[in-house]
């Protein structure tokens, strides 16, 4: 349990603001990093075979169930092996990219990564969500209250009865301002939001890195 697990999910490659801010976090991190890019190497959606593989005894698995269980086991072991998490999850149509939701569906398993009256193995481990969005969703914005990415992930990842991580969020906004004429007047706000996001990413990385933990031990 000695690495940062970084999960990317933006389909925009290097143009992704979520990736760019996550890169800033990674550059300031002083420990080992394991990187999974779901846009480059997507995981299939959880299906009936994958669900059955969780409840049918291993000795009775079909070949397809064995394959599905192997995928889930690998993802769960990778998740549990991390000491900290960096999730780059942009807003797509008010919610998270489907590739990230598919990853969650594979790793959220009661009794392994989620609690059901029992202790959750990842309790208290730090997690940073970077979620860029084209518009503004803060108080006073026309779309305030329509962010179904960060609030949902704060519950899924942070609820003590679910994955029980210590979640922090970074949300660079108004990324469409430089490219959409009706939003051009908001470019200064976009630039400010992005600068603040990079600064926050550096700060969180420095606060949560193994070196910082060693200093406070």
């Amino acid at each position: 349990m000695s690495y940062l697990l970084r999960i990317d999910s933006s389909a925009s490659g290097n143009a992704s603001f979520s990736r760019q801010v996550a890169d800033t976090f990674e550059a300031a991190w002083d420990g080992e990093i394991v990187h999974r890019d779901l846009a480059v190497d997507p995981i299939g959606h959880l299906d009936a075979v994958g669900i059955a593989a969780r409840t049918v005894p291993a000795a009775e698995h079909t070949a397809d169930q064995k394959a599905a269980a192997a995928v889930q086991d690998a993802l769960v072991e990778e998740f549990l092996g991390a000491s900290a998490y960096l999730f780059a999850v942009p807003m797509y149509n008010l919610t998270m990219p489907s590739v990230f939701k598919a990853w969650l569906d594979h790793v959220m398993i009661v009794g392994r990564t989620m609690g059901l009256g029992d202790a959750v193995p990842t309790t208290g481990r730090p997690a940073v969500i970077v979620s860029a969005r084209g518009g503004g969703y803060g108080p006073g914005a026309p779309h305030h209250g329509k962010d179904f990415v960060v609030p949902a992930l704060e519950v899924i990842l942070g609820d003590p009865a679910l994955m029980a991580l210590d979640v922090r969020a970074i949300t660079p906004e108004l990324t469409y301002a430089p490219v959409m004429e009706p939003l051009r007047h908001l470019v200064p706000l976009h630039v400010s939001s992005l600068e603040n996001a990079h600064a926050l990413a550096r700060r969180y990385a420095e606060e949560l890195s193994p070196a910082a933990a060693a200093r406070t031990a």
Side-chain angles (χ1 to χ4, degrees):
M1 197 173 71
S2 60
Y3 56 83
L4 171 75
L5 177 59
R6 173 176 173 175
I7 305 289
D8 276 291
S9 58
S10 172
S12 299
N14 292 334
S16 163
F17 289 102
S18 297
R19 287 179 185 269
Q20 292 168 20
V21 174
D23 286 344
T24 294
F25 183 101
E26 181 175 323
W29 186 263
D30 67 354
E32 181 183 351
I33 298 170
V34 172
H35 186 202
R36 180 174 289 277
D37 191 333
L38 298 172
V40 174
D41 187 18
I43 298 162
H45 290 288
L46 185 65
D47 58 15
V49 173
I51 294 170
R54 298 179 179 182
T55 56
V56 174
E60 301 174 17
H61 278 178
T62 65
D64 287 344
Q65 288 168 351
K66 285 182 181 179
V71 170
Q72 293 181 46
D73 287 345
L75 294 172
V76 167
E77 289 169 10
E78 181 179 73
F79 176 75
L80 293 178
S83 58
Y85 306 88
L86 175 61
F87 302 116
V89 189
M91 177 185 286
Y92 285 0
N93 297 319
L94 305 182
T95 189
M96 67 190 78
S98 63
V99 290
F100 190 80
K101 180 59 167 62
W103 176 82
L104 279 175
D105 289 341
H106 281 285
V107 299
M108 292 181 71
I109 301 177
V110 174
R112 296 184 69 183
T113 60
M114 295 168 53
L116 188 63
D118 299 320
V120 181
T122 52
T123 296
R125 295 181 194 175
V128 174
I129 301 165
V130 180
S131 182
R133 55 278 316 279
Y137 294 83
H143 293 302
H144 177 57
K146 296 179 182 178
D147 177 357
F148 300 105
V149 184
V150 171
L153 290 179
E154 287 175 335
V155 173
I156 293 168
L157 300 172
D159 190 290
L162 296 177
M163 302 177 94
L165 300 176
D166 179 9
V167 179
R168 309 180 187 198
I170 303 173
T171 54
E173 293 196 322
L174 299 167
T175 61
Y176 282 159
V179 295
M180 294 185 66
E181 188 58 40
L183 299 179
R184 292 278 186 184
H185 65 291
L186 298 174
V187 165
L189 291 178
H190 157 66
V191 171
S192 176
S193 178
L194 189 58
E195 288 175 348
N196 289 338
H198 282 288
L200 201 54
R202 281 188 292 271
R203 194 185 98 196
Y204 285 165
E206 291 165 357
E207 290 176 355
L208 301 174
S209 68
R215 287 194 298 270
T216 58

